[in-house]
Amino acid sequence: MEENARTPLIAGNWKMHKNGKQGAELVRRILELLSPVPGVEAEIVVCPPFTALCQVREVFREGQLPGCKVGLGAQNMHWEQEGAFTGEISPLMLREFGCEYVIVGHSERRILFGESDAVVNRKVKAACENGLRPILCVGEDARQRQEGRTQAVVEKQVTAGLAGLTPAQIDRAVVAYEPVWAIGTGSPATGADAQEVAAWIRRVLQGLAGTGALGTRILYGGSVKPDNIADFAARPDIDGALVGGASLEPESFAAIVQGWG
Ligand code: 13P
Protein backbone atom coordinates (compact mmCIF):
# COMPACT_ATOMS: atom_id res chain seq x y z
CA MET A 1 0.00 0.00 0.00
CA GLU A 2 1.15 3.55 -0.68
CA GLU A 3 1.88 6.01 2.07
CA ASN A 4 -1.28 6.87 3.97
CA ALA A 5 -2.09 10.52 3.25
CA ARG A 6 -5.65 10.18 4.45
CA THR A 7 -6.75 12.51 7.23
CA PRO A 8 -7.98 10.45 10.16
CA LEU A 9 -11.72 10.72 10.71
CA ILE A 10 -13.37 10.16 14.07
CA ALA A 11 -17.14 10.12 13.72
CA GLY A 12 -19.72 9.87 16.48
CA ASN A 13 -22.98 8.12 15.72
CA TRP A 14 -25.37 9.25 18.44
CA LYS A 15 -28.15 6.97 17.21
CA MET A 16 -31.48 7.88 18.86
CA HIS A 17 -29.95 9.79 21.76
CA LYS A 18 -29.85 13.47 22.75
CA ASN A 19 -32.32 16.23 22.09
CA GLY A 20 -31.18 19.54 20.64
CA LYS A 21 -30.22 21.11 23.96
CA GLN A 22 -28.37 18.02 25.18
CA GLY A 23 -26.63 17.67 21.82
CA ALA A 24 -25.45 21.27 21.87
CA GLU A 25 -24.11 20.78 25.40
CA LEU A 26 -22.32 17.60 24.42
CA VAL A 27 -20.59 19.23 21.48
CA ARG A 28 -19.71 22.36 23.44
CA ARG A 29 -18.02 20.18 26.05
CA ILE A 30 -16.18 18.12 23.42
CA LEU A 31 -14.81 21.28 21.85
CA GLU A 32 -13.76 22.55 25.29
CA LEU A 33 -11.99 19.34 26.14
CA LEU A 34 -10.13 19.25 22.86
CA SER A 35 -9.31 22.92 22.44
CA PRO A 36 -6.26 23.06 24.75
CA VAL A 37 -4.62 20.33 22.68
CA PRO A 38 -2.80 21.93 19.77
CA GLY A 39 -2.77 20.17 16.46
CA VAL A 40 -4.85 17.04 16.83
CA GLU A 41 -4.56 16.18 13.14
CA ALA A 42 -7.93 14.63 12.67
CA GLU A 43 -11.33 15.39 11.32
CA ILE A 44 -14.17 15.08 13.79
CA VAL A 45 -17.74 14.48 12.70
CA VAL A 46 -20.80 14.13 14.88
CA CYS A 47 -24.00 12.56 13.63
CA PRO A 48 -26.89 13.62 15.89
CA PRO A 49 -30.54 12.79 15.35
CA PHE A 50 -32.17 15.02 12.73
CA THR A 51 -33.93 17.06 15.41
CA ALA A 52 -30.64 18.09 17.04
CA LEU A 53 -28.77 19.07 13.86
CA CYS A 54 -29.70 22.73 14.03
CA GLN A 55 -28.60 23.33 17.61
CA VAL A 56 -25.38 21.35 17.20
CA ARG A 57 -24.55 23.35 14.10
CA GLU A 58 -24.89 26.59 16.05
CA VAL A 59 -22.21 25.38 18.48
CA PHE A 60 -19.91 24.51 15.58
CA ARG A 61 -20.37 27.99 14.20
CA GLU A 62 -19.20 29.48 17.49
CA GLY A 63 -16.19 27.31 18.23
CA GLN A 64 -13.42 25.88 16.09
CA LEU A 65 -10.48 23.71 16.95
CA PRO A 66 -6.90 24.36 15.92
CA GLY A 67 -5.61 21.68 13.55
CA CYS A 68 -8.93 19.90 13.60
CA LYS A 69 -11.83 20.04 11.21
CA VAL A 70 -15.23 19.54 12.81
CA GLY A 71 -18.20 18.55 10.75
CA LEU A 72 -21.76 17.47 10.88
CA GLY A 73 -23.35 14.30 9.59
CA ALA A 74 -26.78 12.69 9.57
CA GLN A 75 -27.61 9.07 10.31
CA ASN A 76 -29.87 8.32 7.39
CA MET A 77 -31.77 9.94 4.52
CA HIS A 78 -34.06 9.23 1.60
CA TRP A 79 -32.61 9.11 -1.89
CA GLU A 80 -35.05 11.52 -3.55
CA GLN A 81 -34.71 15.29 -3.30
CA GLU A 82 -38.39 15.72 -2.49
CA GLY A 83 -41.71 13.97 -2.96
CA ALA A 84 -44.52 12.04 -1.33
CA PHE A 85 -42.39 10.09 1.16
CA THR A 86 -44.06 10.63 4.51
CA GLY A 87 -41.62 10.78 7.36
CA GLU A 88 -38.48 10.92 5.23
CA ILE A 89 -35.67 13.48 5.03
CA SER A 90 -33.97 14.35 1.75
CA PRO A 91 -30.31 15.04 0.96
CA LEU A 92 -31.10 18.67 0.20
CA MET A 93 -32.72 19.06 3.60
CA LEU A 94 -29.57 17.73 5.22
CA ARG A 95 -27.45 20.15 3.21
CA GLU A 96 -29.61 23.01 4.44
CA PHE A 97 -28.68 22.01 8.00
CA GLY A 98 -24.98 22.06 7.21
CA CYS A 99 -24.45 18.33 6.93
CA GLU A 100 -21.40 17.24 5.04
CA TYR A 101 -21.68 13.52 5.77
CA VAL A 102 -24.45 10.96 6.01
CA ILE A 103 -24.25 7.46 7.46
CA VAL A 104 -25.79 4.97 5.04
CA GLY A 105 -26.55 1.29 5.51
CA HIS A 106 -25.84 1.04 9.22
CA SER A 107 -26.50 -2.54 10.32
CA GLU A 108 -29.32 -1.31 12.54
CA ARG A 109 -31.05 0.07 9.45
CA ARG A 110 -30.31 -3.06 7.45
CA ILE A 111 -31.52 -5.42 10.19
CA LEU A 112 -34.29 -3.46 11.94
CA PHE A 113 -35.62 -1.50 8.97
CA GLY A 114 -35.00 -3.97 6.17
CA GLU A 115 -32.63 -1.87 4.08
CA SER A 116 -31.27 -3.94 1.21
CA ASP A 117 -28.02 -3.38 -0.65
CA ALA A 118 -30.10 -1.89 -3.48
CA VAL A 119 -31.66 0.70 -1.18
CA VAL A 120 -28.30 1.43 0.39
CA ASN A 121 -26.85 1.99 -3.09
CA ARG A 122 -29.59 4.45 -4.03
CA LYS A 123 -28.87 6.41 -0.87
CA VAL A 124 -25.11 6.37 -1.42
CA LYS A 125 -25.56 7.61 -4.99
CA ALA A 126 -28.02 10.29 -3.90
CA ALA A 127 -25.61 11.46 -1.21
CA CYS A 128 -22.80 11.85 -3.76
CA GLU A 129 -25.03 13.55 -6.31
CA ASN A 130 -26.26 16.05 -3.74
CA GLY A 131 -22.91 17.06 -2.31
CA LEU A 132 -22.90 14.82 0.77
CA ARG A 133 -20.18 12.34 1.62
CA PRO A 134 -21.60 8.90 2.41
CA ILE A 135 -20.26 6.84 5.30
CA LEU A 136 -21.18 3.40 3.99
CA CYS A 137 -21.43 0.84 6.80
CA VAL A 138 -20.60 -2.78 6.12
CA GLY A 139 -19.89 -5.78 8.30
CA GLU A 140 -20.64 -9.41 8.94
CA ASP A 141 -22.70 -10.87 11.75
CA ALA A 142 -21.44 -13.48 14.22
CA ARG A 143 -22.69 -16.42 12.23
CA GLN A 144 -21.20 -15.21 8.97
CA ARG A 145 -17.85 -14.80 10.72
CA GLN A 146 -18.05 -18.29 12.23
CA GLU A 147 -18.77 -19.68 8.78
CA GLY A 148 -15.73 -17.93 7.36
CA ARG A 149 -17.79 -15.66 5.15
CA THR A 150 -16.58 -12.28 6.40
CA GLN A 151 -14.69 -11.34 3.25
CA ALA A 152 -17.49 -12.40 0.93
CA VAL A 153 -20.14 -10.51 2.93
CA VAL A 154 -18.09 -7.35 3.14
CA GLU A 155 -17.10 -7.50 -0.53
CA LYS A 156 -20.72 -7.81 -1.57
CA GLN A 157 -21.84 -4.92 0.63
CA VAL A 158 -19.03 -2.65 -0.56
CA THR A 159 -19.46 -3.54 -4.23
CA ALA A 160 -23.23 -3.23 -4.18
CA GLY A 161 -23.21 -0.14 -2.00
CA LEU A 162 -20.80 1.78 -4.23
CA ALA A 163 -22.13 0.50 -7.58
CA GLY A 164 -22.38 3.17 -10.25
CA LEU A 165 -20.13 5.67 -8.48
CA THR A 166 -17.28 7.34 -10.34
CA PRO A 167 -13.74 6.83 -9.01
CA ALA A 168 -13.81 10.45 -7.79
CA GLN A 169 -16.99 9.79 -5.84
CA ILE A 170 -15.51 6.63 -4.33
CA ASP A 171 -12.43 8.61 -3.37
CA ARG A 172 -14.56 11.05 -1.34
CA ALA A 173 -16.70 8.34 0.23
CA VAL A 174 -16.01 6.71 3.59
CA VAL A 175 -16.47 3.01 4.32
CA ALA A 176 -17.05 1.98 7.93
CA TYR A 177 -16.29 -1.62 8.79
CA GLU A 178 -18.63 -2.43 11.65
CA PRO A 179 -18.89 -6.12 12.49
CA VAL A 180 -22.43 -6.59 13.77
CA TRP A 181 -21.27 -8.74 16.68
CA ALA A 182 -19.06 -5.93 17.97
CA ILE A 183 -21.69 -3.18 17.99
CA GLY A 184 -22.87 -2.22 21.45
CA THR A 185 -21.50 -5.41 22.98
CA GLY A 186 -18.35 -4.15 24.66
CA SER A 187 -16.45 -6.76 22.65
CA PRO A 188 -14.63 -5.02 19.81
CA ALA A 189 -12.76 -6.76 17.04
CA THR A 190 -9.05 -6.96 17.70
CA GLY A 191 -6.96 -4.40 15.88
CA ALA A 192 -5.40 -7.22 13.87
CA ASP A 193 -8.78 -8.64 12.78
CA ALA A 194 -10.11 -5.20 11.89
CA GLN A 195 -6.95 -4.44 9.91
CA GLU A 196 -7.32 -7.69 7.98
CA VAL A 197 -10.84 -6.80 6.89
CA ALA A 198 -9.89 -3.15 6.24
CA ALA A 199 -7.06 -4.32 3.96
CA TRP A 200 -9.55 -6.53 2.16
CA ILE A 201 -11.95 -3.60 1.75
CA ARG A 202 -9.04 -1.55 0.37
CA ARG A 203 -8.44 -4.23 -2.25
CA VAL A 204 -12.11 -4.31 -3.17
CA LEU A 205 -12.09 -0.51 -3.48
CA GLN A 206 -9.07 -0.63 -5.72
CA GLY A 207 -10.84 -3.18 -7.87
CA LEU A 208 -13.71 -0.72 -8.23
CA ALA A 209 -11.80 2.52 -8.67
CA GLY A 210 -8.11 1.69 -9.11
CA THR A 211 -5.82 4.35 -7.69
CA GLY A 212 -8.92 6.55 -7.51
CA ALA A 213 -9.73 4.81 -4.24
CA LEU A 214 -6.50 5.72 -2.47
CA GLY A 215 -8.21 8.57 -0.65
CA THR A 216 -11.20 6.54 0.51
CA ARG A 217 -11.14 6.40 4.26
CA ILE A 218 -11.94 3.14 6.01
CA LEU A 219 -13.16 3.40 9.59
CA TYR A 220 -13.56 0.73 12.22
CA GLY A 221 -16.68 0.73 14.37
CA GLY A 222 -17.96 -1.54 17.14
CA SER A 223 -17.32 -0.98 20.87
CA VAL A 224 -14.58 1.60 20.26
CA LYS A 225 -13.50 3.07 23.60
CA PRO A 226 -10.63 5.26 24.83
CA ASP A 227 -8.75 2.19 26.04
CA ASN A 228 -8.81 0.34 22.71
CA ILE A 229 -8.50 3.16 20.17
CA ALA A 230 -4.68 2.97 20.01
CA ASP A 231 -4.89 -0.58 18.70
CA PHE A 232 -6.96 0.59 15.72
CA ALA A 233 -4.97 3.78 15.18
CA ALA A 234 -1.80 1.73 14.74
CA ARG A 235 -3.17 -0.11 11.68
CA PRO A 236 -2.22 1.02 8.19
CA ASP A 237 -5.62 0.52 6.53
CA ILE A 238 -7.79 1.89 9.34
CA ASP A 239 -8.22 5.63 8.93
CA GLY A 240 -10.48 6.40 11.85
CA ALA A 241 -13.40 5.22 13.90
CA LEU A 242 -17.17 5.29 13.92
CA VAL A 243 -18.09 5.50 17.57
CA GLY A 244 -21.50 4.76 19.06
CA GLY A 245 -21.97 4.64 22.83
CA ALA A 246 -18.65 6.29 23.68
CA SER A 247 -19.52 9.30 21.51
CA LEU A 248 -22.33 10.23 23.93
CA GLU A 249 -19.89 11.05 26.73
CA PRO A 250 -17.75 14.10 26.03
CA GLU A 251 -14.78 12.79 28.02
CA SER A 252 -14.67 9.46 26.26
CA PHE A 253 -15.20 10.91 22.78
CA ALA A 254 -12.48 13.52 23.35
CA ALA A 255 -10.17 10.80 24.70
CA ILE A 256 -10.79 8.71 21.58
CA VAL A 257 -9.90 11.67 19.34
CA GLN A 258 -6.74 12.31 21.37
CA GLY A 259 -5.96 8.60 21.47
CA TRP A 260 -5.80 8.51 17.70
CA GLY A 261 -2.91 10.97 17.51
P1 13P B 1 -20.89 1.15 19.68
O1 13P B 1 -19.64 2.01 19.65
O2 13P B 1 -21.85 1.58 20.74
O3 13P B 1 -20.55 -0.30 19.71
O4 13P B 1 -21.67 1.41 18.30
C1 13P B 1 -20.98 1.33 17.11
C2 13P B 1 -21.84 1.81 16.01
O5 13P B 1 -22.83 1.21 15.67
C3 13P B 1 -21.45 3.07 15.35
O6 13P B 1 -22.17 3.28 14.19
Side-chain angles (χ1 to χ4, degrees), residues 25-259:
E25 273 167 23
L26 171 57
V27 165
R28 199 168 285 126
R29 185 76 187 120
I30 291 168
L31 294 183
E32 257 172 38
L33 287 166
L34 291 173
S35 56
V37 182
V40 177
E41 296 287 337
E43 185 176 354
I44 300 170
V45 170
V46 298
C47 304
F50 296 130
T51 49
L53 285 171
C54 188
Q55 278 159 276
V56 168
R57 184 193 193 190
E58 288 306 315
V59 178
F60 279 168
R61 280 198 175 132
E62 293 159 18
Q64 287 302 317
L65 287 176
C68 220
K69 185 168 175 273
V70 288
L72 200 54
Q75 300 173 21
N76 182 32
M77 60 166 212
H78 195 271
W79 57 84
E80 293 289 346
Q81 292 190 335
E82 62 178 1
F85 302 103
T86 302
E88 293 291 326
I89 302 278
S90 87
L92 295 183
M93 294 167 181
L94 297 181
R95 288 284 306 278
E96 186 193 6
F97 277 77
C99 287
E100 190 183 343
Y101 290 89
V102 59
I103 297 171
V104 179
H106 191 281
S107 60
E108 285 151 18
R109 295 221 55 88
R110 292 178 190 260
I111 295 165
L112 303 173
F113 302 98
E115 284 193 12
S116 63
D117 279 333
V119 163
V120 170
N121 178 239
R122 287 175 110 162
K123 293 185 177 190
V124 166
K125 275 203 261 189
C128 295
E129 284 159 10
N130 289 285
L132 291 162
R133 301 178 75 159
I135 301 176
L136 169 65
C137 298
V138 300
E140 81 288 359
D141 64 25
R143 183 163 174 187
Q144 290 163 335
R145 174 159 280 261
Q146 273 159 20
E147 291 171 355
R149 290 163 54 210
T150 297
Q151 288 195 346
V153 168
V154 165
E155 177 174 5
K156 178 169 174 287
Q157 290 175 335
V158 171
T159 306
L162 300 177
L165 264 58
T166 65
Q169 286 172 331
I170 292 178
D171 195 59
R172 280 175 52 79
V174 177
V175 177
Y177 169 55
E178 297 207 308
V180 177
W181 46 269
I183 294 177
T185 60
S187 301
T190 63
D193 283 348
Q195 161 59 27
E196 195 181 321
V197 181
W200 173 246
I201 292 172
R202 185 88 55 209
R203 279 183 58 182
V204 173
L205 290 171
Q206 280 168 9
L208 293 174
T211 53
L214 283 175
T216 314
R217 284 172 295 181
I218 300 174
L219 313 183
Y220 168 76
S223 298
V224 170
K225 306 279 184 244
D227 63 3
N228 60 33
I229 189 67
D231 194 17
F232 301 110
R235 310 291 167 172
D237 287 297
I238 303 179
D239 305 311
L242 183 54
V243 187
S247 71
L248 298 172
E249 296 296 332
E251 287 77 15
S252 55
F253 190 65
I256 287 169
V257 173
Q258 285 163 344

